[in-house]
Amino acid sequence: MEKYPHIPFEEWDSLNMQLERKLIEQSIMIPLYYEKRFIPFSSDIMNIKIKHFGYVDFSKLWVRPRV
């Protein structure tokens, strides 16, 4: 927590991830669900939305055409 005032705001995401990992490893925090932060799909697939509980909404999915 002492690091936050000394680190630029743009780097807080990395610090948040480190803190979260540490809390989970020490069993101080046990997440009841996991929010998906990254979409593990090809960059050619566009308009992917993650819905509740990590399910993907494929209703408006499209593939970027090669030009």
Side-chain angles (χ1 to χ4, degrees):
M1 296 303 291
E2 305 88 37
K3 293 180 183 180
Y4 283 94
H6 307 290
I7 294 180
F9 179 73
E10 294 78 24
E11 297 176 22
W12 279 18
D13 192 40
S14 173
L15 191 57
N16 290 342
M17 296 293 285
Q18 291 174 14
L19 180 60
E20 179 181 292
R21 190 175 327 112
K22 188 174 185 177
L23 292 172
I24 291 171
E25 287 172 357
Q26 294 178 359
S27 297
I28 294 171
M29 179 179 81
I30 302 172
L32 298 178
Y33 70 94
Y34 181 75
E35 180 182 347
K36 192 71 173 171
R37 292 184 178 93
F38 304 103
I39 299 174
F41 294 103
S42 168
S43 60
D44 291 337
I45 300 175
M46 305 300 294
N47 209 29
I48 296 175
K49 302 278 191 245
I50 302 292
K51 292 294 187 179
H52 306 290
F53 303 110
Y55 294 111
V56 179
D57 178 11
F58 292 109
S59 65
K60 296 186 176 145
L61 179 128
W62 59 280
V63 177
R64 181 188 330 215
R66 295 183 186 205
V67 182

